């Protein structure tokens, strides 16, 4: 019986949670997350300020002609041509969104619900290719349709991914054929 009393006397009560310290840590962590988010947002705005020399995005003509190809998918952003990590954020070009692409004789119409639409005139198109990545998005080899185009005095790469990736090759062929036709017509004149 004495040993039972001794065992009961040796048991300690559970440690009491220090709520003040725990709440302090949670608030500190929340402030850190807010600070990191604010710094990222300021960096995005600063990048937009540095790229403010880009002219306004062209809009589609009133009658661009019949559609040669259409594509429904995702717009993954634009970068400086050849530099797949140098994202362009000016004029909303850095905003990822859904996209409806339409290729006509006049050029490439990019309609983005919830973001700025733009139009790439036929004369501004430089190249179309399949690639695996653009700033913020890396896919399997050939999983991204990249269109290089001239805007102001800069060459830009814009990345698109179709809902049906098998369409990408047809788009590359059609755009590159359009560019070759445009350059041979210009050479003849």
């Amino acid at each position: 019986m004495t040993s039972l009393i001794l065992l009961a006397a040796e048991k300690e009560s559970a440690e009491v949670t220090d709520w003040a310290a725990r709440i302090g840590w949670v608030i500190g962590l929340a402030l850190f997350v807010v600070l990191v988010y604010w710094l990222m947002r300021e960096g995005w705005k600063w990048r937009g300020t540095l790229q403010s020399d880009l002219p306004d995005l062209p809009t589609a003509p009133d009658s661009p002609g019949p559609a040669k190809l259409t594509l429904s998918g995702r717009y993954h952003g634009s970068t400086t041509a050849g530099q797949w990590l140098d994202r362009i954020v000016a004029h909303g070009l850095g905003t990822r969104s859904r996209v409806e692409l339409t290729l006509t004789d006049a050029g490439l119409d990019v309609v983005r619900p919830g973001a700025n639409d733009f139009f790439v005139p036929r004369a501004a198109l430089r190249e179309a290719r399949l690639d695996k990545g653009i700033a913020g998005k890396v896919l399997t080899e050939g999983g991204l349709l990249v269109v290089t185009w001239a805007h102001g005095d800069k060459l830009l790469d814009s990345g698109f991914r179709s809902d049906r990736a098998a369409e990408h090759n047809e788009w590359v062929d059609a755009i590159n054929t359009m560019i070759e036709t445009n350059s041979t017509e210009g050479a003849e004149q």
Side-chain angles (χ1 to χ4, degrees):
M1 185 75 163
T2 351
S3 64
L4 221 66
I5 296 173
L6 287 175
L7 283 175
E10 289 179 16
K11 286 189 176 179
E12 296 180 21
S13 61
E15 190 174 314
V16 177
T17 303
D18 183 4
W19 286 105
R22 187 167 287 189
I23 290 171
W25 276 105
V26 168
I27 290 172
L29 181 61
L31 288 173
F32 177 74
V33 169
V34 167
L35 173 68
V36 168
Y37 175 77
W38 179 78
L39 288 172
M40 287 171 40
R41 185 169 180 264
E42 290 300 307
W44 188 269
K45 286 174 25 182
W46 178 249
R47 182 174 278 275
T49 302
L50 292 175
Q51 297 167 351
S52 63
D53 62 333
L54 279 178
D56 289 335
L57 295 172
T59 56
D62 292 332
S63 56
K68 290 182 169 192
L69 288 173
T70 59
L71 175 144
S72 180
R74 304 255 339 141
Y75 168 77
H76 288 289
S78 293
T79 63
T80 302
Q83 299 177 15
W84 73 283
L85 290 176
D86 185 22
R87 184 186 298 266
I88 302 294
V89 301
H91 306 297
L93 288 173
T95 305
R96 290 171 59 176
S97 63
R98 292 284 307 156
V99 71
E100 296 292 328
L101 287 180
T102 305
L103 183 65
T104 65
D105 284 331
L108 181 66
D109 190 17
V110 182
V111 177
R112 303 184 305 150
N116 295 344
D117 300 341
F118 61 96
F119 182 78
V120 180
R122 179 180 182 160
L125 291 169
R126 296 294 182 261
E127 175 192 20
R129 69 181 186 281
L130 297 180
D131 213 329
K132 64 180 178 180
I134 201 160
K137 188 67 174 180
V138 177
L139 300 162
T140 59
E141 190 66 44
L144 196 66
L145 170 65
V146 177
V147 177
T148 303
W149 54 289
H151 183 55
D153 59 350
K154 262 190 149 168
L155 282 180
L156 303 180
D157 284 340
S158 293
F160 306 95
R161 173 127 174 113
S162 173
D163 291 336
R164 294 171 302 281
E167 297 177 323
H168 289 174
N169 288 324
E170 185 180 7
W171 275 82
V172 169
D173 293 341
I175 291 173
N176 286 333
T177 300
M178 181 183 280
I179 293 167
E180 289 169 13
T181 304
N182 199 34
S183 63
T184 56
E185 286 174 2
E188 291 173 3
Q189 293 175 4

